[in-house]
């Protein structure tokens, strides 16, 4: 990248035909000082191009230096377009026209923004698959999905249902870990898991899951199936299910995957 690319980009964005710039303005655009020769010699501002990187900056943008007044630290650029080409210099050598990417992109973006700022409704439709009583249904049960999904474990707290929501790479693995933690002879680390979840080994717990293919993300009535193979999307669905529990007035906790 050339030191003078910011000047080229600035000129390409301009819609004016003439730009009279103070040398300080040019330095502000470059983000660095001009060389001493730029303030002392008019030839530095010639339109020769070739291997002179600084001159190519304005020539490539379709501009040329029309005049300089170094006593006043002013340089005047003029856009030069003839027959769809930009002239490189006074000798009339044609240079390829450079598309004004900046201004064109800005106009297109401004045109697109009103539609993007319209109100939007994003909802989730999910179907729960019953896994059953955590104390009674074995991990090998045929209704326990092996693939990714969202697991919900529901227990009673102060007589009211309370939900734990788990996004899971494998529903079966998640269910298995919870079931092992419930066993009297389960590992100590699993006992710690129960404590962190606010459960104990005698707590009645019912489990269900949203399995792969049973969740749809809907935006303004148009929907698609949620991709549970993708961790980000799996976590998004878990968050929406968690919020739904809260909106229904139930206590809930969202667990990290």
């Amino acid at each position: 990248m050339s030191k003078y690319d910011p000047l080229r980009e600035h000129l390409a964005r301009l819609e004016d035909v003439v730009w009279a710039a103070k040398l300080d303005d040019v330095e502000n655009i470059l983000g660095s000082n001009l060389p001493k020769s730029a303030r002392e010699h008019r030839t530095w501002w010639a339109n020769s191009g070739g291997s002179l990187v600084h001159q190519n900056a304005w020539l490539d943008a379709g501009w040329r230096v029309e005049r300089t007044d170094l006593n006043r630290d002013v340089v005047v650029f003029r856009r030069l377009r003839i027959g769809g080409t930009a002239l490189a210099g006074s000798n009339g050598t044609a240079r390829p026209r450079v598309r004004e990417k900046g201004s064109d992109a800005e106009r297109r973006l401004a045109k697109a923004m009103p539609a993007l700022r319209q109100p939007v409704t994003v909802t989730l439709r999910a179907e729960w698959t019953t896994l059953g009583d955590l104390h009674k249904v074995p991990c090998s049960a045929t209704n326990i999905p092996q693939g990714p999904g969202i697991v919900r474990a529901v227990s009673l707290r102060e007589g009211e249902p309370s939900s734990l929501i788990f996004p899971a790479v494998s529903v079966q693995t998640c269910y298995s870990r919870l079931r092992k933690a419930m066993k009297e002879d389960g590992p100590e680390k699993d006992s710690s898991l129960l404590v962190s979840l606010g459960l104990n080994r005698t707590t009645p717990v019912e489990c269900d899951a949203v399995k792969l293919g049973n969740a749809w993300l809907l935006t303004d009535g148009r929907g698609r199936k949620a991709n549970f193979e993708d961790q980000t999307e799996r976590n998004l669905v878990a968050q929406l299910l968690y919020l739904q529990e809260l909106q229904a007035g139930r206590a809930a906790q969202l667990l990290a995957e």
Side-chain angles (χ1 to χ4, degrees), residues 5-159:
D5 279 352
L7 176 60
R8 175 181 56 78
E9 293 167 359
H10 175 79
L11 288 167
R13 286 194 297 268
L14 289 179
E15 296 185 1
D16 297 325
V17 176
V18 176
W19 180 46
K22 298 286 288 184
L23 297 189
D24 287 346
D25 295 334
V26 175
E27 288 181 338
N28 287 336
I29 291 168
L30 295 176
S32 61
N33 293 332
L34 288 164
K36 185 178 180 181
S37 56
R39 293 182 175 273
E40 296 180 352
H41 303 293
R42 293 178 58 192
T43 53
W44 196 91
W45 297 98
N47 298 294
S48 303
S51 61
L52 299 175
V53 177
H54 65 284
Q55 294 181 15
N56 286 331
W58 57 77
L59 294 172
D60 287 346
W63 292 69
R64 65 189 301 271
V65 173
E66 185 174 63
R67 61 184 176 87
T68 57
D69 186 346
L70 298 183
N71 291 327
R72 297 172 54 206
D73 288 341
V74 173
V75 58
V76 179
F77 295 89
R78 177 177 290 275
R79 185 192 302 278
L80 193 52
R81 303 284 186 195
I82 297 179
T85 63
L87 294 189
S90 58
N91 60 4
T93 304
R95 300 180 63 87
R97 180 171 182 171
V98 177
R99 182 178 178 83
E100 296 176 47
K101 295 181 180 179
S103 59
D104 181 59
E106 289 167 1
R107 286 192 294 269
R108 292 174 63 186
L109 179 60
K111 185 177 180 180
M113 288 310 298
L116 296 177
R117 291 179 175 133
Q118 292 299 309
V120 61
T121 301
V122 179
T123 57
L124 170 72
R125 179 171 178 250
E127 295 179 0
W128 292 101
T129 296
T130 300
L131 305 184
D133 187 328
L134 188 60
H135 293 277
K136 298 178 181 179
V137 179
C139 302
S140 58
T142 57
N143 65 316
I144 310 293
Q146 295 184 4
I150 313 298
V151 176
R152 178 175 64 179
V154 183
S155 60
L156 292 179
R157 292 190 184 181
E158 299 180 355

Side-chain angles (χ1 to χ4, degrees), residues 152-222:
R152 178 175 64 179
V154 183
S155 60
L156 292 179
R157 292 190 184 181
E158 299 180 355
E160 297 294 333
S162 176
S163 299
L164 298 170
I165 306 291
F166 303 82
V169 176
S170 166
V171 171
Q172 187 181 57
T173 300
C174 180
Y175 180 84
S176 176
R177 186 181 178 195
L178 288 171
R179 183 166 164 77
K180 288 178 180 178
M182 283 293 185
K183 292 183 177 180
E184 292 293 338
D185 57 350
E188 184 62 30
K189 65 177 182 179
D190 289 336
S191 178
S192 299
L193 171 65
L194 290 181
V195 172
S196 68
L197 298 178
L199 303 174
N200 60 58
R201 284 175 169 151
T202 61
T203 305
V205 179
E206 284 284 336
C207 290
D208 43 23
V210 178
K211 63 182 182 180
L212 183 66
N214 277 12
W216 294 263
L217 292 168
L218 309 173
T219 304
D220 288 341
R222 293 176 294 179

